[in-house]
Amino acid sequence: MKNILSIKLDILLLILGFLIVLSTSLVLGLIGQFIYWLLYDSFGRYEKRAKRKLKLINNQQDNEYYVIIIGTGFSGLGMAIKMNELGMDNYILIERHEHVGGTWYANKYPGCACDIASNLYSFSFEPNPKWS
């Protein structure tokens, strides 16, 4: 009987220790986030940082690229568009097929259709609500 009571007490202490560690880490995380917000976001530093533009010195040599984008699917093309918007033009897109399109080009889905309007098939920076 005493042995079972000792095991139950050990399990209870283990659970209590786990809850203490969990609540301490949660409180410390919230305090750290508050201090970060107080020192960084509340004085407008975030807005200044978000408005920075990428500045590049174009001293590109032949066959030298700052960025290599692998794949010309949805993400690869979106990355290339964003690079152009940032003023970066020395990148290369690499695709294993002879055409862009990624998975949608490589895999054929005969008879596949979407019977509802889907705005998710467009980039957030250039929405296309008129899909057929």
Side-chain angles (χ1 to χ4, degrees), residues 47-59:
E47 291 177 6
K48 290 177 187 173
R49 186 172 173 232
K51 292 180 182 177
R52 289 183 195 160
K53 291 289 184 183
L54 184 63
K55 295 178 182 168
L56 299 171
I57 300 171
N58 196 359
N59 58 355

Side-chain angles (χ1 to χ4, degrees), residues 53-127:
K53 291 289 184 183
L54 184 63
K55 295 178 182 168
L56 299 171
I57 300 171
N58 196 359
N59 58 355
Q60 178 183 359
Q61 298 175 2
D62 290 339
N63 296 326
E64 178 183 72
Y65 302 100
Y66 290 133
V67 176
I68 298 173
I69 302 171
I70 300 176
T72 59
F74 196 75
S75 298
L77 294 176
M79 175 65 81
I81 292 168
K82 284 298 182 181
M83 298 293 255
N84 283 338
E85 286 179 2
L86 291 171
M88 185 175 211
D89 60 353
N90 51 353
Y91 60 88
I92 186 171
L93 289 133
I94 299 175
E95 174 62 44
R96 68 178 169 166
H97 299 291
E98 58 273 358
H99 297 285
V100 299
T103 300
W104 295 104
Y105 176 76
N107 302 309
K108 307 297 183 213
Y109 303 101
C112 182
C114 183
D115 60 352
I116 60 169
S118 182
N119 296 330
L120 298 176
Y121 290 130
S122 58
F123 293 109
S124 61
F125 52 85
E126 192 171 326

Side-chain angles (χ1 to χ4, degrees), residues 27-39:
V27 168
L28 289 176
L30 290 173
I31 290 172
Q33 183 66 29
F34 175 73
I35 291 172
Y36 174 82
W37 171 82
L38 185 66
L39 296 177

